[in-house]
Amino acid sequence: MTVKRLFILFLLLVLTTSVHAQRFNTKKVNDGLRHGQWEASLLTQYQNGFDQQGEGGSEIDADDAFGFGFTIGWNLNAKWNFQFKLAMNEPDYTATLVPEQPENPDDPALSPFELNSSLSKYASAFNATYHFFEGPLTPFVQAGAGWTKLDSNIPSTPPSTGCWWDPWWGWICNTTWQTYDTTRFSYNLGIGGRWDVNGALFLRGSYNREWLDVGRSSLDFDTLTLEAGLMW
């Protein structure tokens, strides 16, 4: 009786394993490696410089810059992916500022002046990606929208210093200040390619153009992005 039961249990185990393997292989054949998978990636990004003209002769000239970021997304199927992306960089720039002229014509006119600083850019976007092929190697197109924060790193208020007593380190003082910054709606379009190395690892590269409306003018950024990520 014991041997018979063990034999029946063995048959059930083999049958269950075979069915599970068949379902797994069928999913991979019919749906591809990406189907229904969550994913996350780390990215490095190159952003080209730009030269933007403003009103009255004002201008900003920003250098090229490298940045970094991450994505987290979900593959609806082998062709559609939806993701959240956050990328950050900090290009150096030169700004030409044109002061507001005095109302009294007898007062001397104020001349434009230049300043140098670094621009902190934090771009977040919700993107939809369409893969042309269901296989592990495929080109894709991408579109998305979100918000971008630009921080000039130029103080807008006088610095404020605060001090407090720490029982371990004694008196600690810190100086902070507000800067000129803005957060604006942005959108992007891109093309690229993806390689699913296996069921867990993927590589992705893309070219994107981002548009940002800053009120009286608009900015656009060209970016090249390389990513390495995991699926689960």
Side-chain angles (χ1 to χ4, degrees):
M1 183 64 67
T2 302
V3 175
K4 184 177 180 180
R5 289 181 178 177
L6 290 176
F7 180 71
I8 292 174
L9 289 175
F10 175 76
L11 288 179
L12 290 175
L13 179 62
V14 171
L15 180 62
T16 302
T17 305
S18 300
V19 171
H20 178 73
Q22 184 177 2
R23 291 178 62 188
F24 179 80
N25 291 332
T26 301
K27 175 184 181 302
K28 295 304 180 186
V29 171
N30 293 341
D31 300 331
L33 294 173
R34 296 182 295 275
H35 181 86
Q37 300 294 300
W38 285 91
E39 63 181 42
S41 71
L42 297 177
L43 64 87
T44 181
Q45 186 179 83
Y46 168 80
Q47 177 180 286
N48 71 318
F50 63 90
D51 187 356
Q52 183 69 31
Q53 304 290 331
E55 294 183 350
S58 61
E59 181 181 3
I60 180 171
D61 184 6
D63 297 338
D64 301 348
F66 284 93
F68 61 93
F70 70 90
T71 70
I72 183 168
W74 177 61
N75 293 282
L76 176 64
N77 49 45
K79 289 199 169 183
W80 283 102
N81 172 278
F82 301 94
Q83 66 168 222
F84 170 77
K85 177 181 178 180
L86 177 64
M88 298 157 279
N89 58 49
E90 196 167 286
D92 295 328
Y93 71 91
T94 299
T96 301
L97 303 181
V98 180
E100 184 178 354
Q101 298 301 319
E103 296 181 0
N104 189 345
D106 295 331
D107 293 337
L110 301 177
S111 301
F113 62 95
E114 291 186 352
L115 57 84
N116 298 304
S117 186
S118 58
L119 179 71
S120 298
K121 175 174 174 277
Y122 308 90
S124 61
F126 295 92
N127 298 322
T129 303
Y130 178 78
H131 302 100
F132 289 97
F133 306 136
E134 296 185 357
L137 188 62
T138 175
F140 63 79
V141 291
Q142 185 179 83
W147 293 268
T148 297
K149 179 180 179 180
L150 300 177
D151 190 334
S152 67
N153 291 307
I154 298 174
S156 60
T157 61
S160 174
T161 301
C163 298
W164 65 94
W165 173 259
D166 184 277
W168 293 100
W169 305 104
W171 283 103
I172 297 177
C173 295
N174 186 38
T175 301
T176 60
W177 55 86
Q178 300 294 321
T179 58
Y180 292 101
D181 62 12
T182 185
T183 300
R184 299 286 180 162
F185 175 77
S186 58
Y187 57 97
N188 73 88
L189 294 174
I191 58 174
R194 173 177 176 138
W195 177 31
D196 295 325
V197 181
N198 51 45
L201 176 66
F202 70 92
L203 302 175
R204 185 162 53 204
S206 62
Y207 162 79
N208 288 74
R209 170 158 285 194
E210 305 172 9
W211 291 271
L212 175 67
D213 184 7
V214 290
R216 296 183 180 180
S217 62
S218 61
L219 296 175
D220 56 78
F221 306 92
D222 292 323
T223 60
L224 294 174
T225 304
L226 295 176
E227 300 176 57
L230 296 174
M231 294 184 290
W232 66 91

